Coordinates of all heavy atoms in Angstrom, one line a residue:
M1 N 114.1 65.7 -35.9 CA 113.9 64.5 -35.1 C 113.9 63.2 -36.0 O 113.4 63.3 -37.1 CB 112.5 64.5 -34.4 CG 112.4 65.3 -33.1 SD 110.9 65.1 -32.4 CE 110.4 66.8 -32.3
D2 N 114.4 62.2 -35.5 CA 114.6 60.9 -36.3 C 113.2 60.2 -36.0 O 112.8 59.9 -34.9 CB 115.7 60.2 -35.7 CG 115.9 58.9 -36.4 OD1 115.1 58.4 -37.2 OD2 117.0 58.3 -36.2
I3 N 112.5 59.8 -37.1 CA 111.3 59.1 -37.0 C 111.5 57.7 -36.4 O 110.6 57.4 -35.6 CB 110.7 58.9 -38.4 CG1 110.5 60.2 -39.1 CG2 109.4 58.1 -38.4 CD1 109.1 60.8 -39.1
E4 N 112.5 57.0 -36.6 CA 112.8 55.8 -36.1 C 112.9 55.9 -34.5 O 112.4 55.0 -33.7 CB 114.0 55.1 -36.7 CG 114.3 53.7 -36.2 CD 115.5 53.1 -37.0 OE1 115.5 53.2 -38.2 OE2 116.3 52.5 -36.3
Q5 N 113.6 56.9 -34.1 CA 113.8 57.2 -32.6 C 112.4 57.5 -32.0 O 112.2 57.0 -30.9 CB 114.8 58.3 -32.5 CG 115.3 58.5 -31.1 CD 116.4 59.6 -31.0 OE1 116.5 60.4 -31.9 NE2 117.1 59.6 -29.9
Q6 N 111.6 58.3 -32.7 CA 110.3 58.6 -32.2 C 109.5 57.3 -32.0 O 108.8 57.2 -31.0 CB 109.6 59.6 -33.1 CG 110.0 61.0 -33.1 CD 109.2 61.8 -34.0 OE1 108.5 61.4 -34.9 NE2 109.3 63.2 -33.9
A7 N 109.5 56.5 -33.0 CA 108.7 55.2 -32.9 C 109.2 54.4 -31.8 O 108.3 53.7 -31.1 CB 108.9 54.5 -34.2
K8 N 110.5 54.3 -31.5 CA 111.0 53.6 -30.3 C 110.5 54.1 -29.0 O 110.0 53.4 -28.1 CB 112.5 53.5 -30.3 CG 113.1 52.6 -31.4 CD 114.6 52.6 -31.3 CE 115.2 51.8 -32.5 NZ 116.7 51.8 -32.5
I9 N 110.4 55.5 -28.9 CA 110.0 56.1 -27.7 C 108.5 55.9 -27.5 O 108.0 55.6 -26.4 CB 110.4 57.6 -27.7 CG1 111.9 57.8 -27.6 CG2 109.6 58.3 -26.5 CD1 112.3 59.1 -27.7
I10 N 107.7 56.0 -28.6 CA 106.3 55.7 -28.5 C 106.0 54.3 -28.1 O 105.2 54.0 -27.3 CB 105.6 56.1 -29.8 CG1 105.6 57.6 -30.0 CG2 104.2 55.5 -29.9 CD1 105.1 58.2 -31.2
D11 N 106.8 53.3 -28.6 CA 106.7 51.9 -28.2 C 107.0 51.8 -26.7 O 106.3 51.1 -26.0 CB 107.6 51.0 -29.0 CG 107.2 50.7 -30.4 OD1 106.0 51.1 -30.7 OD2 108.0 50.3 -31.2
T12 N 107.9 52.5 -26.2 CA 108.3 52.5 -24.7 C 107.1 53.1 -23.9 O 106.8 52.5 -22.9 CB 109.6 53.4 -24.5 OG1 110.6 52.8 -25.2 CG2 109.9 53.4 -23.0
I13 N 106.5 54.2 -24.4 CA 105.3 54.8 -23.7 C 104.2 53.8 -23.7 O 103.6 53.6 -22.6 CB 105.0 56.1 -24.4 CG1 106.0 57.2 -24.3 CG2 103.6 56.6 -23.9 CD1 105.8 58.4 -25.2
H14 N 103.9 53.1 -24.8 CA 102.9 52.1 -24.9 C 103.1 51.0 -23.9 O 102.2 50.6 -23.2 CB 102.8 51.6 -26.3 CG 101.9 50.4 -26.5 ND1 102.2 49.1 -26.3 CD2 100.5 50.4 -26.8 CE1 101.2 48.4 -26.4 NE2 100.2 49.1 -26.8
D15 N 104.3 50.5 -23.9 CA 104.7 49.3 -23.0 C 104.6 49.8 -21.6 O 104.1 49.0 -20.7 CB 106.1 48.8 -23.3 CG 106.2 48.2 -24.7 OD1 105.1 47.9 -25.3 OD2 107.3 48.1 -25.2
T16 N 105.0 51.0 -21.2 CA 104.9 51.5 -19.8 C 103.4 51.6 -19.4 O 103.1 51.2 -18.3 CB 105.6 52.8 -19.7 OG1 107.0 52.7 -20.0 CG2 105.5 53.3 -18.3
L17 N 102.6 52.1 -20.2 CA 101.2 52.3 -19.9 C 100.5 51.0 -19.8 O 99.6 50.8 -19.0 CB 100.5 53.2 -21.0 CG 100.9 54.7 -20.8 CD1 100.3 55.5 -21.9 CD2 100.6 55.3 -19.5
Q18 N 101.0 50.0 -20.6 CA 100.3 48.6 -20.6 C 100.5 48.1 -19.2 O 99.6 47.4 -18.7 CB 101.0 47.8 -21.6 CG 100.4 46.4 -21.8 CD 99.0 46.5 -22.4 OE1 98.8 47.2 -23.4 NE2 98.0 45.8 -21.9
E19 N 101.6 48.4 -18.5 CA 101.9 47.8 -17.1 C 101.0 48.6 -16.1 O 100.8 48.1 -15.0 CB 103.3 48.2 -16.8 CG 104.3 47.4 -17.7 CD 105.8 47.8 -17.4 OE1 106.0 48.7 -16.5 OE2 106.6 47.3 -18.2
H20 N 100.4 49.7 -16.5 CA 99.6 50.5 -15.5 C 98.1 50.4 -15.8 O 97.3 51.2 -15.2 CB 100.0 52.0 -15.5 CG 101.4 52.1 -14.9 ND1 101.6 52.2 -13.6 CD2 102.6 52.3 -15.5 CE1 102.9 52.4 -13.4 NE2 103.5 52.5 -14.5
V21 N 97.7 49.5 -16.7 CA 96.2 49.4 -16.9 C 95.5 49.0 -15.6 O 96.0 48.1 -14.9 CB 96.0 48.4 -18.1 CG1 94.5 48.0 -18.2 CG2 96.5 48.9 -19.4
G22 N 94.4 49.7 -15.3 CA 93.6 49.4 -14.1 C 94.1 50.2 -12.9 O 93.4 50.2 -11.9
E23 N 95.1 51.0 -13.1 CA 95.7 51.8 -12.0 C 95.2 53.3 -12.1 O 94.9 53.7 -13.2 CB 97.1 51.8 -11.9 CG 97.7 50.4 -11.7 CD 99.2 50.4 -11.7 OE1 99.8 51.5 -11.7 OE2 99.8 49.3 -11.7
R24 N 95.1 53.9 -11.0 CA 94.7 55.4 -11.0 C 96.0 56.3 -11.3 O 97.0 56.1 -10.8 CB 94.2 55.8 -9.7 CG 92.8 55.1 -9.5 CD 92.0 55.6 -8.3 NE 91.7 57.0 -8.4 CZ 90.8 57.6 -9.2 NH1 90.0 56.9 -9.9 NH2 90.5 59.0 -9.1
L25 N 95.7 57.2 -12.3 CA 96.7 58.1 -12.7 C 96.2 59.5 -12.8 O 95.0 59.7 -12.9 CB 97.2 57.8 -14.1 CG 97.8 56.4 -14.4 CD1 98.1 56.2 -15.8 CD2 99.1 56.2 -13.5
K26 N 97.0 60.5 -12.7 CA 96.7 61.9 -12.8 C 97.1 62.3 -14.2 O 98.3 62.1 -14.6 CB 97.3 62.7 -11.7 CG 96.9 64.2 -11.8 CD 97.5 65.0 -10.6 CE 97.0 66.4 -10.7 NZ 97.5 67.2 -9.6
V27 N 96.3 63.0 -14.9 CA 96.6 63.5 -16.3 C 96.5 65.1 -16.2 O 95.6 65.7 -15.7 CB 95.5 63.0 -17.2 CG1 95.7 63.6 -18.6 CG2 95.4 61.6 -17.3
R28 N 97.6 65.7 -16.8 CA 97.6 67.1 -17.0 C 97.8 67.3 -18.5 O 98.8 67.0 -19.1 CB 98.8 67.7 -16.2 CG 98.9 69.1 -16.2 CD 100.0 69.6 -15.3 NE 100.0 71.0 -15.1 CZ 100.6 71.9 -15.9 NH1 101.4 71.5 -16.8 NH2 100.5 73.2 -15.6
A29 N 96.7 67.8 -19.1 CA 96.7 68.0 -20.6 C 96.7 69.5 -21.0 O 95.8 70.2 -20.5 CB 95.5 67.3 -21.2
N30 N 97.6 69.8 -21.9 CA 97.6 71.2 -22.4 C 96.6 71.2 -23.6 O 96.9 70.6 -24.6 CB 99.0 71.5 -22.8 CG 99.2 73.0 -23.3 OD1 98.2 73.6 -23.7 ND2 100.4 73.5 -23.2
M31 N 95.5 71.9 -23.4 CA 94.5 72.0 -24.5 C 94.7 73.2 -25.4 O 93.9 73.5 -26.3 CB 93.2 72.0 -23.8 CG 92.9 70.9 -22.9 SD 93.1 69.3 -23.6 CE 91.5 69.1 -24.4
G32 N 95.8 73.9 -25.3 CA 96.0 75.0 -26.1 C 95.4 76.3 -25.6 O 94.5 76.3 -24.7
R33 N 95.9 77.5 -26.1 CA 95.4 78.8 -25.6 C 95.4 78.9 -24.1 O 94.3 79.3 -23.5 CB 94.0 79.1 -26.2 CG 94.0 79.2 -27.7 CD 92.7 79.8 -28.1 NE 92.8 79.9 -29.6 CZ 92.2 81.0 -30.2 NH1 91.6 81.9 -29.5 NH2 92.4 81.1 -31.5
S34 N 96.4 78.5 -23.6 CA 96.6 78.6 -22.1 C 95.6 77.8 -21.2 O 95.4 78.1 -20.1 CB 96.6 80.1 -21.6 OG 97.6 80.8 -22.3
K35 N 95.0 76.9 -21.8 CA 94.0 76.0 -21.1 C 94.6 74.7 -20.7 O 95.0 73.9 -21.6 CB 92.7 75.8 -22.0 CG 91.7 75.0 -21.2 CD 90.4 74.8 -22.0 CE 89.4 74.0 -21.2 NZ 88.2 73.8 -22.0
I36 N 94.8 74.5 -19.4 CA 95.4 73.2 -19.0 C 94.3 72.5 -18.1 O 93.6 73.1 -17.2 CB 96.6 73.5 -18.1 CG1 97.7 74.1 -19.1 CG2 97.1 72.2 -17.5 CD1 99.0 74.5 -18.4
V37 N 94.1 71.3 -18.5 CA 93.0 70.5 -17.8 C 93.7 69.4 -17.0 O 94.5 68.7 -17.5 CB 92.1 69.8 -18.9 CG1 91.1 68.9 -18.1 CG2 91.4 70.9 -19.6
E38 N 93.4 69.4 -15.7 CA 93.9 68.3 -14.8 C 92.8 67.4 -14.4 O 91.8 67.9 -14.0 CB 94.7 68.9 -13.6 CG 95.9 69.7 -14.0 CD 96.7 70.1 -12.8 OE1 96.3 69.9 -11.7 OE2 97.8 70.8 -13.0
S39 N 93.0 66.2 -14.4 CA 92.0 65.2 -14.0 C 92.7 64.0 -13.4 O 93.8 63.7 -13.7 CB 91.0 64.9 -15.1 OG 91.7 64.4 -16.3
E40 N 91.9 63.2 -12.7 CA 92.4 61.9 -12.2 C 91.5 60.8 -12.5 O 90.2 61.0 -12.6 CB 92.6 62.0 -10.7 CG 93.4 61.0 -10.1 CD 93.7 61.2 -8.6 OE1 93.9 62.4 -8.3 OE2 93.8 60.2 -7.9
G41 N 92.0 59.6 -12.9 CA 91.2 58.5 -13.2 C 91.9 57.3 -13.4 O 93.0 57.2 -13.0
T42 N 91.2 56.3 -14.0 CA 91.8 55.0 -14.2 C 92.2 54.7 -15.6 O 91.3 55.0 -16.5 CB 90.8 53.9 -13.6 OG1 90.4 54.2 -12.3 CG2 91.3 52.5 -13.8
L43 N 93.3 54.3 -15.8 CA 93.7 53.9 -17.2 C 93.0 52.6 -17.5 O 93.2 51.6 -16.9 CB 95.2 53.6 -17.2 CG 95.9 53.2 -18.6 CD1 95.6 54.2 -19.6 CD2 97.3 52.9 -18.4
T44 N 92.1 52.6 -18.5 CA 91.3 51.4 -18.8 C 91.7 50.6 -20.0 O 91.6 49.4 -20.0 CB 89.8 51.8 -19.0 OG1 89.7 52.8 -20.1 CG2 89.2 52.4 -17.7
Q45 N 92.2 51.3 -21.0 CA 92.6 50.6 -22.2 C 93.9 51.2 -22.9 O 94.1 52.4 -22.8 CB 91.5 50.6 -23.3 CG 90.2 49.9 -22.8 CD 89.1 50.1 -23.8 OE1 89.4 50.3 -25.1 NE2 87.9 50.1 -23.4
V46 N 94.6 50.3 -23.5 CA 95.8 50.7 -24.2 C 95.7 50.2 -25.6 O 95.6 49.0 -25.7 CB 97.1 50.3 -23.5 CG1 98.4 50.6 -24.3 CG2 97.2 50.9 -22.2
H47 N 95.7 51.0 -26.7 CA 95.7 50.6 -28.0 C 97.0 51.0 -28.7 O 97.8 51.7 -28.2 CB 94.5 51.3 -28.7 CG 93.2 50.9 -28.1 ND1 92.5 49.8 -28.4 CD2 92.3 51.5 -27.2 CE1 91.4 49.7 -27.7 NE2 91.2 50.8 -26.9
P48 N 97.1 50.6 -30.0 CA 98.4 50.9 -30.7 C 98.7 52.4 -30.8 O 99.8 52.8 -30.8 CB 98.2 50.2 -32.1 CG 97.3 49.1 -31.8 CD 96.3 49.6 -30.7
Q49 N 97.7 53.2 -31.0 CA 98.0 54.6 -31.3 C 97.5 55.5 -30.1 O 97.9 56.7 -30.1 CB 97.2 55.1 -32.5 CG 97.7 54.4 -33.8 CD 99.2 54.6 -34.1 OE1 99.6 55.7 -33.9 NE2 99.8 53.6 -34.5
L50 N 96.6 55.0 -29.2 CA 96.1 55.9 -28.1 C 95.8 55.0 -26.9 O 95.8 53.8 -26.9 CB 94.9 56.6 -28.6 CG 93.7 55.8 -29.2 CD1 92.8 55.4 -28.0 CD2 93.0 56.6 -30.2
F51 N 95.6 55.8 -25.8 CA 95.1 55.1 -24.6 C 93.9 55.8 -24.0 O 93.7 57.0 -24.3 CB 96.3 55.1 -23.5 CG 96.8 56.4 -23.1 CD1 96.3 57.0 -21.9 CD2 97.8 57.1 -23.9 CE1 96.8 58.2 -21.5 CE2 98.2 58.3 -23.4 CZ 97.8 58.9 -22.3
I52 N 93.1 55.1 -23.3 CA 91.8 55.6 -22.8 C 91.8 55.6 -21.3 O 92.2 54.5 -20.6 CB 90.7 54.8 -23.3 CG1 90.6 54.8 -24.9 CG2 89.3 55.2 -22.8 CD1 89.6 53.9 -25.5
M53 N 91.3 56.7 -20.7 CA 91.2 56.8 -19.2 C 89.8 57.1 -18.9 O 89.1 57.8 -19.6 CB 92.1 57.9 -18.8 CG 93.6 57.6 -18.9 SD 94.7 58.5 -17.9 CE 94.0 58.3 -16.3
E54 N 89.3 56.6 -17.8 CA 88.0 56.9 -17.2 C 88.3 57.9 -16.2 O 88.8 57.5 -15.1 CB 87.3 55.6 -16.8 CG 85.9 55.9 -16.5 CD 85.1 54.5 -16.5 OE1 84.9 53.9 -17.5 OE2 84.8 54.2 -15.3
V55 N 88.0 59.1 -16.4 CA 88.3 60.2 -15.4 C 87.1 60.6 -14.6 O 86.0 60.4 -15.0 CB 88.9 61.4 -16.2 CG1 90.2 61.1 -16.9 CG2 87.9 62.1 -17.2
D56 N 87.4 61.1 -13.4 CA 86.4 61.5 -12.5 C 85.9 62.9 -12.9 O 86.6 63.8 -13.2 CB 87.0 61.6 -11.1 CG 87.6 60.2 -10.6 OD1 87.2 59.2 -11.1 OD2 88.5 60.3 -9.8
R57 N 84.5 63.0 -12.7 CA 83.9 64.3 -13.0 C 83.1 64.7 -11.7 O 83.1 64.0 -10.7 CB 83.0 64.2 -14.2 CG 83.6 64.0 -15.5 CD 84.3 65.2 -15.9 NE 84.9 65.0 -17.2 CZ 86.2 65.3 -17.5 NH1 86.9 66.0 -16.7 NH2 86.6 65.1 -18.7
K58 N 82.5 65.8 -11.8 CA 81.6 66.2 -10.6 C 80.5 65.3 -10.3 O 80.0 64.6 -11.1 CB 81.1 67.6 -10.8 CG 82.2 68.7 -10.9 CD 81.5 70.0 -11.2 CE 82.7 71.1 -11.4 NZ 82.2 72.3 -11.7
R59 N 80.1 65.3 -9.0 CA 78.9 64.5 -8.6 C 79.1 63.0 -8.8 O 78.1 62.3 -9.1 CB 77.7 65.0 -9.1 CG 77.3 66.4 -8.7 CD 76.0 66.8 -9.3 NE 75.8 68.2 -9.3 CZ 76.0 69.0 -10.4 NH1 76.2 68.4 -11.5 NH2 75.8 70.3 -10.3
G60 N 80.3 62.5 -8.7 CA 80.6 61.1 -8.8 C 80.5 60.5 -10.2 O 80.5 59.3 -10.4
R61 N 80.3 61.3 -11.2 CA 80.3 60.8 -12.6 C 81.7 60.6 -13.1 O 82.6 61.2 -12.6 CB 79.5 61.9 -13.5 CG 78.1 62.0 -13.0 CD 77.4 62.9 -14.0 NE 75.9 63.0 -13.6 CZ 75.1 63.7 -14.3 NH1 75.4 64.3 -15.3 NH2 73.8 63.7 -13.8
T62 N 81.7 59.8 -14.2 CA 83.0 59.6 -14.9 C 82.8 59.9 -16.3 O 81.7 59.9 -16.8 CB 83.5 58.2 -14.7 OG1 82.5 57.3 -15.2 CG2 83.7 57.9 -13.2
A63 N 83.9 60.1 -17.0 CA 83.9 60.4 -18.5 C 85.1 59.6 -19.0 O 86.1 59.5 -18.4 CB 83.9 61.8 -18.8
R64 N 85.0 59.2 -20.3 CA 86.1 58.6 -20.9 C 86.9 59.6 -21.8 O 86.3 60.4 -22.4 CB 85.6 57.5 -21.9 CG 85.2 56.3 -21.2 CD 84.8 55.3 -22.2 NE 85.0 53.9 -21.6 CZ 85.0 52.9 -22.3 NH1 84.7 52.9 -23.5 NH2 85.2 51.7 -21.6
Q65 N 88.2 59.6 -21.6 CA 89.1 60.5 -22.4 C 90.1 59.7 -23.1 O 90.7 58.7 -22.4 CB 89.8 61.5 -21.4 CG 88.9 62.5 -20.7 CD 88.4 63.5 -21.6 OE1 89.1 64.0 -22.5 NE2 87.1 63.9 -21.5
S66 N 90.4 60.0 -24.3 CA 91.4 59.3 -25.0 C 92.6 60.3 -25.3 O 92.4 61.5 -25.5 CB 90.9 58.7 -26.3 OG 90.5 59.7 -27.2
Y67 N 93.8 59.8 -25.3 CA 95.0 60.6 -25.5 C 95.9 59.8 -26.4 O 96.0 58.6 -26.4 CB 95.7 60.9 -24.2 CG 94.9 61.6 -23.2 CD1 94.2 60.9 -22.2 CD2 94.8 63.0 -23.2 CE1 93.4 61.6 -21.2 CE2 94.0 63.6 -22.3 CZ 93.3 63.0 -21.3 OH 92.5 63.6 -20.4
Q68 N 96.7 60.5 -27.2 CA 97.6 59.8 -28.1 C 99.0 59.8 -27.5 O 99.4 60.7 -26.7 CB 97.7 60.6 -29.4 CG 96.4 60.5 -30.2 CD 96.5 61.3 -31.5 OE1 97.5 62.0 -31.8 NE2 95.6 61.1 -32.4
Y69 N 99.8 58.8 -27.8 CA 101.1 58.6 -27.3 C 102.0 59.8 -27.7 O 102.9 60.2 -27.0 CB 101.8 57.3 -27.7 CG 101.0 56.1 -27.3 CD1 100.5 55.2 -28.2 CD2 100.7 55.9 -25.9 CE1 99.7 54.1 -27.8 CE2 100.0 54.8 -25.5 CZ 99.5 53.9 -26.5 OH 98.7 52.8 -26.1
V70 N 101.8 60.3 -28.9 CA 102.6 61.4 -29.4 C 102.4 62.6 -28.5 O 103.4 63.4 -28.4 CB 102.3 61.7 -30.9 CG1 100.9 62.3 -31.0 CG2 103.4 62.6 -31.5
D71 N 101.2 62.8 -27.9 CA 101.0 63.9 -27.0 C 101.8 63.8 -25.7 O 102.3 64.8 -25.2 CB 99.5 64.0 -26.7 CG 98.7 64.5 -27.9 OD1 99.3 65.2 -28.7 OD2 97.5 64.1 -27.9
V72 N 102.1 62.5 -25.3 CA 103.0 62.3 -24.1 C 104.4 62.6 -24.6 O 105.2 63.2 -23.9 CB 102.8 60.8 -23.7 CG1 103.8 60.6 -22.5 CG2 101.4 60.6 -23.2
L73 N 104.7 62.2 -25.8 CA 106.1 62.4 -26.3 C 106.4 63.9 -26.4 O 107.5 64.3 -25.9 CB 106.2 61.7 -27.7 CG 107.5 62.1 -28.5 CD1 108.7 61.4 -27.8 CD2 107.4 61.6 -29.9
T74 N 105.5 64.7 -26.8 CA 105.7 66.1 -27.0 C 105.6 66.9 -25.7 O 105.8 68.1 -25.6 CB 104.8 66.7 -28.1 OG1 103.5 66.5 -27.7 CG2 105.1 66.1 -29.4
G75 N 105.0 66.3 -24.7 CA 104.8 67.0 -23.4 C 103.5 67.7 -23.3 O 103.2 68.3 -22.3
M76 N 102.6 67.5 -24.3 CA 101.2 68.1 -24.2 C 100.4 67.4 -23.2 O 99.5 68.0 -22.7 CB 100.6 68.0 -25.6 CG 101.3 68.8 -26.7 SD 101.5 70.5 -26.3 CE 99.8 71.1 -26.7
V77 N 100.7 66.1 -22.9 CA 100.0 65.3 -21.9 C 101.1 64.8 -20.9 O 102.0 64.2 -21.4 CB 99.2 64.2 -22.5 CG1 98.6 63.3 -21.5 CG2 98.1 64.7 -23.4
E78 N 100.8 65.1 -19.6 CA 101.7 64.6 -18.6 C 101.0 63.6 -17.7 O 99.8 63.9 -17.4 CB 102.3 65.7 -17.8 CG 103.1 66.7 -18.6 CD 103.4 68.0 -17.8 OE1 103.1 68.0 -16.6 OE2 104.0 68.9 -18.4
L79 N 101.6 62.5 -17.4 CA 100.9 61.5 -16.5 C 101.8 61.3 -15.3 O 103.0 61.2 -15.3 CB 100.8 60.1 -17.3 CG 100.0 60.1 -18.5 CD1 100.3 58.9 -19.4 CD2 98.5 60.2 -18.1
S80 N 101.0 61.1 -14.2 CA 101.8 60.9 -12.9 C 100.9 60.0 -12.1 O 99.7 59.8 -12.2 CB 102.0 62.2 -12.1 OG 100.8 62.8 -11.8
Q81 N 101.7 59.3 -11.1 CA 101.0 58.4 -10.2 C 101.5 58.7 -8.8 O 102.8 58.6 -8.6 CB 101.2 56.9 -10.6 CG 100.5 55.9 -9.7 CD 100.7 54.5 -10.3 OE1 101.8 54.1 -10.6 NE2 99.7 53.7 -10.3
D82 N 100.7 59.0 -7.9 CA 101.1 59.3 -6.5 C 102.1 60.5 -6.5 O 103.0 60.4 -5.7 CB 101.6 58.1 -5.8 CG 100.6 57.0 -5.6 OD1 99.4 57.3 -5.5 OD2 101.0 55.8 -5.8
G83 N 101.9 61.4 -7.3 CA 102.8 62.7 -7.4 C 104.1 62.4 -8.1 O 104.9 63.3 -8.3
T84 N 104.4 61.1 -8.6 CA 105.6 60.9 -9.3 C 105.3 60.8 -10.9 O 104.4 60.0 -11.3 CB 106.1 59.5 -8.9 OG1 106.4 59.5 -7.5 CG2 107.5 59.2 -9.6
P85 N 106.0 61.6 -11.7 CA 105.7 61.5 -13.1 C 106.1 60.1 -13.7 O 107.1 59.5 -13.3 CB 106.7 62.6 -13.7 CG 107.1 63.4 -12.6 CD 107.0 62.6 -11.3
L86 N 105.3 59.6 -14.6 CA 105.6 58.3 -15.2 C 106.7 58.5 -16.3 O 107.4 57.5 -16.5 CB 104.3 57.7 -15.9 CG 103.2 57.2 -15.1 CD1 102.1 56.6 -15.9 CD2 103.7 56.2 -14.1
F87 N 106.8 59.6 -16.9 CA 107.8 59.9 -17.9 C 108.5 61.1 -17.6 O 107.9 62.2 -17.3 CB 107.1 59.9 -19.3 CG 106.3 58.7 -19.6 CD1 104.9 58.8 -19.5 CD2 106.8 57.5 -20.0 CE1 104.1 57.7 -19.8 CE2 106.1 56.4 -20.3 CZ 104.7 56.5 -20.2
D88 N 109.8 61.1 -17.8 CA 110.6 62.3 -17.8 C 110.6 62.9 -19.2 O 110.1 62.3 -20.1 CB 112.1 62.0 -17.4 CG 112.3 61.5 -16.0 OD1 111.5 62.0 -15.1 OD2 113.1 60.7 -15.8
S89 N 111.1 64.1 -19.3 CA 111.1 64.8 -20.7 C 111.9 63.9 -21.7 O 112.9 63.3 -21.2 CB 111.7 66.1 -20.6 OG 111.8 66.7 -21.8
F90 N 111.4 63.8 -22.8 CA 112.1 63.0 -23.8 C 113.1 63.9 -24.7 O 113.8 63.4 -25.6 CB 111.1 62.4 -24.8 CG 110.2 61.4 -24.1 CD1 108.9 61.8 -23.8 CD2 110.7 60.2 -23.8 CE1 108.1 60.9 -23.2 CE2 109.8 59.3 -23.2 CZ 108.5 59.6 -22.8
F91 N 113.2 65.2 -24.3 CA 114.1 66.1 -25.0 C 115.2 66.6 -24.1 O 115.0 66.7 -22.8 CB 113.3 67.3 -25.5 CG 112.2 66.9 -26.5 CD1 110.9 66.7 -26.0 CD2 112.5 66.9 -27.8 CE1 110.0 66.2 -27.0 CE2 111.5 66.5 -28.7 CZ 110.3 66.2 -28.3
D92 N 116.4 66.8 -24.6 CA 117.5 67.3 -23.9 C 117.4 68.8 -23.7 O 116.5 69.5 -24.2 CB 118.8 66.8 -24.4 CG 119.0 67.3 -25.9 OD1 118.4 68.2 -26.3 OD2 119.9 66.7 -26.6
E93 N 118.5 69.4 -23.2 CA 118.6 70.8 -23.0 C 118.5 71.7 -24.2 O 118.0 72.8 -24.3 CB 119.8 71.3 -22.2 CG 119.9 70.7 -20.8 CD 120.4 69.3 -20.8 OE1 121.2 68.9 -21.7 OE2 119.9 68.5 -19.8
E94 N 119.0 71.1 -25.3 CA 119.0 71.8 -26.6 C 117.7 71.6 -27.4 O 117.5 72.1 -28.5 CB 120.1 71.4 -27.5 CG 121.5 71.8 -27.0 CD 122.0 70.9 -26.0 OE1 121.9 69.6 -26.1 OE2 122.7 71.3 -25.0
G95 N 116.7 70.9 -26.8 CA 115.4 70.6 -27.5 C 115.5 69.5 -28.4 O 114.6 69.3 -29.2
E96 N 116.6 68.7 -28.4 CA 116.7 67.6 -29.2 C 116.1 66.4 -28.6 O 116.2 66.2 -27.4 CB 118.2 67.3 -29.6 CG 118.9 68.5 -30.4 CD 118.3 68.5 -31.8 OE1 118.1 67.5 -32.5 OE2 118.1 69.7 -32.3
L97 N 115.6 65.5 -29.4 CA 115.0 64.2 -28.9 C 116.1 63.4 -28.3 O 117.1 63.1 -29.0 CB 114.3 63.5 -30.0 CG 113.5 62.3 -29.7 CD1 112.3 62.8 -28.8 CD2 112.8 61.7 -30.9
G98 N 115.9 63.0 -27.0 CA 117.0 62.2 -26.3 C 116.9 60.8 -26.7 O 115.9 60.3 -27.3
A99 N 117.8 60.0 -26.2 CA 117.9 58.6 -26.5 C 117.0 57.7 -25.6 O 116.6 58.1 -24.6 CB 119.3 58.1 -26.4

């Protein structure tokens, strides 16, 4: 993978999320060892290396979760809004980083 190309894609992810601050999103995070966590919440902050969501928990409670853009790039974290993914896969059929 080309580092410069990765940086451009991460900038695109950052810019896209910046447009969605304050909106409700669904997060599907692969936590490893076959553990997948799905939650829904509000995108509250976007920083240079990560973004923060306030996710819903049981009994009306909320929790803050932070995720890195690189996790979105690699597909470990998937974001959607109203059932529509915010990002398509960044890799082509051969597993190469797409443009």
Side-chain angles (χ1 to χ4, degrees):
M1 276 188 240
D2 183 349
I3 300 259
E4 187 174 313
Q5 193 175 16
Q6 284 180 346
K8 287 180 184 178
I9 292 173
I10 287 175
D11 286 343
T12 301
I13 294 169
H14 174 272
D15 295 343
T16 300
L17 289 178
Q18 187 71 45
E19 296 171 6
H20 291 280
V21 170
E23 297 179 11
R24 292 196 53 84
L25 301 174
K26 184 174 181 179
V27 179
R28 186 173 191 268
N30 184 340
M31 305 303 280
R33 293 192 178 221
S34 301
K35 183 178 180 184
I36 295 176
V37 176
E38 291 186 3
S39 55
E40 194 169 328
T42 304
L43 179 61
T44 57
Q45 297 176 27
V46 176
H47 297 281
Q49 299 297 321
L50 56 91
F51 60 97
I52 299 174
M53 293 198 54
E54 196 164 286
V55 296
D56 302 334
R57 295 287 184 225
K58 293 180 181 175
R59 297 186 199 100
R61 295 185 179 183
T62 60
R64 287 183 150 191
Q65 295 286 324
S66 63
Y67 301 96
Q68 296 181 349
Y69 302 121
V70 69
D71 292 331
V72 176
L73 171 67
T74 60
M76 299 299 283
V77 172
E78 299 171 4
L79 298 164
S80 61
Q81 186 175 41
D82 300 324
T84 305
L86 288 185
F87 305 100
D88 293 325
S89 176
F90 297 102
F91 297 91
D92 60 20
E93 295 81 30
E94 290 85 37
E96 295 293 318
L97 193 59

